[in-house]
Amino acid sequence: MTASPARLPRRRGNPVAGRVLLGAAGVVLLVVIWELYKALGPASGVVIGDLTVLPRTTDIAMPHVWDMIATLFEPASGGRKGDPVWLVVAQAAAFTLGVAAVGWIVGVVVGMLLAVLMQRFRTAESAVLPWIILSQTVPLIAIAPLVRRWGSQISVGDFSWENWMSVAVIASYLAFFPVSIGALRGLNSPDANHVELFRSYGAGWWRTLVTLRLPASVPYLLPALRLAAANAVIGTVVAEVSIGLKGGIGRMILEYAQQASSDPARTWAPIFGAIAVGLVAAGFIALLGVLLRRYRRGEVPA
Amino acid sequence: MSDTTADVPTAVPAVLVEGVDKVFDTKKGTVTALEQIDLTVAPGEFVSLIGPSGCGKSTLLRLIADLDTPTTGSLTVFGKTARQARIDQEYGIAFQQAGLLPWRDVSANIELPLELHGVGKAARAARSAELLALVGLSDFADSYPDQLSGGMQQRVAIARSLAESPRLLLMDEPFGALDEMTRERMQTELVRITAETGAAVVFVTHSIPEAVYLSNRVVVMSPRPGRIRDITTVSLGSAAERTEQLREDEAFFENVSIVRELLHGETPVGIRGVENR
Ligand SMILES: Nc1ncnc2c1ncn2[C@@H]1O[C@H](COP(=O)(O)OP(=O)(O)OP(=O)(O)O)[C@@H](O)[C@H]1O
Ligand SMILES: [Mg+2]
């Protein structure tokens, strides 16, 4: 159980800079491959039999990377006049990020509550767990209209259901799953020794939960939260399309794709936006991991 | 502080076990882990439980700690039911694994029981500083368990078990995972600590010399079903007299032989001198 003292310091310091450099090198490599293939590959793409293995290298299928970047600074067609594309995309990305964040928070809260319930009552685990797993087999396209219809029937006083809430609900529907599974494993992770120690102290269920089970669950919870964040972002983008919510990246991808013939490079702008949303979400979880590093001491480096 | 021996008939016994059976229901049928156990531990007395694996030592300790309940018989701790004694924090406990919480530094680990029972911050800090000095780890108050050696972790666990100044310590092979050198040093420290605190101890071990060195009495158990085969009184003097030299002493070896005879043979047929294993 005695950990090597080298384990922790290895996570900090210089390696961070090294990883940033590696990440940047990866992006550069991707750009180089893209442009090399575009320059050298056949215009009609590589086709084996009837199967297209590699895409066409025309400007419509594969615009130049510099065209993609240049188009970001041209004025956008929609929105306020004169706003450059990157600003419009950034606004849409912020909107999507906000909705995804709401969905993530709701999903995390629901997932945690379910996990605590299942930890507390054995019967709840056998009754609820199969449904949690089944819930994820329902395709997103099936639940989106349902959520929208149910939501539209809710209006209490001044409160009325809005489309963005439906999107957030769908995001949370995808986000709660990894959290409930990961948190349940984490809450059950303390060994009998620790549980009995708390019993010997006469600590009740609640004190044991707060002082032992929750801190012990952090190493299991963090990957679950990361997965939940990715699910929430994807869920938001897809649900924006299927529910028809305006203002976010999902709709923008559709709109720009329709103009692809006139400006193929522009199609990529909202895709960059979606990537940015994912990066911000991943960064947030990484930050959370740093804040909670005290609880990750027992963690085996992955 | 040398009155740690037994023979105080008027006092309420620290542990009183009368006619206790423990039967486990398993899928393959019932397992009688303990049968007809009678045991009295006086306040301040050091009692070791020794016996082959599976003879129910841990089970007996867990019954005293109210981590499990006897099937029949009665069991009291300082005149209270085991359950009440647990709730009143009459005992401190330490296991073979140190069982420290990895996210708490050493002093926070020692303060854990105090924190759970609502002791104020200043009082907690004072107590953990005191205990750290007692186990000789004052320089490591801010270290985390993964930065400590196994022996140091075990010392922290012992300090934690002492945090609420219990009158009874329950220890299940606390030195089992340590090397021989560390083990002997820890034994010497434990004798000193229990002498200073005046706590009674029920100590589970597999090591005959360890049992003899530490105890006022050694309880020898036999397996299937778990029974007390014999109880022998070790007369090696008070804690102050139990120094490192004692391990070389003739009286020490005699007692080791007695316990070994009890463990191996049916009844000891006199001391056959010091045998080698
Ligand atoms: N929870 C349990 N369920 C079923 N059987 C058990 C349980 N706990 C202990 N036993 C049985 O009771 C007997 C005594 O076990 P116990 O752990 O008390 O032995 P021990 O003397 O501490 O052994 P060791 O020296 O190996 O630690 C064993 O036969 C074991 O299989
Ligand atoms: Mg045992």
Side-chain angles (χ1 to χ4, degrees), chain A residues 3-15:
Chain A
S4 66
R7 179 186 297 169
L8 274 160
R10 213 172 60 198
R11 291 179 171 277
R12 304 197 206 104
N14 251 359

Side-chain angles (χ1 to χ4, degrees), chain A residues 167-213:
Chain A
V167 174
V169 165
I170 290 164
S172 70
Y173 185 84
L174 294 184
F176 94 96
F177 176 72
V179 175
S180 61
I181 302 293
L184 179 61
R185 273 195 61 194
L187 291 176
N188 281 328
S189 68
D191 39 290
N193 241 335
H194 283 141
V195 176
E196 289 194 335
L197 192 69
F198 273 70
R199 182 173 152 82
S200 83
Y201 295 146
W205 174 78
W206 177 252
R207 289 312 304 267
T208 307
L209 178 74
V210 173
T211 320
L212 176 65
R213 293 191 187 276

Side-chain angles (χ1 to χ4, degrees), chain A residues 1-5 7-8 190-204 207-208 210-217 219 292-299, chain B residues 62 65-69 83 86-87 89 91 93 95-105 109 112-113 115-118 144-150 153 160-161 164:
Chain A
M1 232 222 73
T2 40
S4 66
R7 179 186 297 169
L8 274 160
D191 39 290
N193 241 335
H194 283 141
V195 176
E196 289 194 335
L197 192 69
F198 273 70
R199 182 173 152 82
S200 83
Y201 295 146
R207 289 312 304 267
T208 307
V210 173
T211 320
L212 176 65
R213 293 191 187 276
L214 280 179
S217 72
L292 293 173
R293 67 181 174 278
R294 190 150 73 91
Y295 299 98
R296 301 167 60 196
R297 288 196 149 258
E299 200 173 305
Chain B
R62 289 166 49 82
D66 189 42
L67 297 174
D68 216 332
T69 49
R83 186 182 143 73
R86 170 172 65 84
I87 291 165
Q89 296 300 301
Y91 69 80
I93 195 162
F95 302 98
Q96 181 166 5
Q97 265 81 40
L100 305 178
L101 301 182
W103 56 87
R104 285 175 166 250
D105 65 18
N109 261 296
L112 175 68
E115 195 181 313
L116 288 170
H117 298 123
Y144 282 85
D146 59 338
Q147 297 165 330
L148 302 183
S149 73
Q153 290 184 24
R160 180 179 62 184
S161 71
E164 295 183 288

Side-chain angles (χ1 to χ4, degrees), chain B residues 57-59 172-173 204:
Chain B
K57 306 179 294 291
S58 300
T59 306
D172 194 345
E173 301 182 40
V204 173

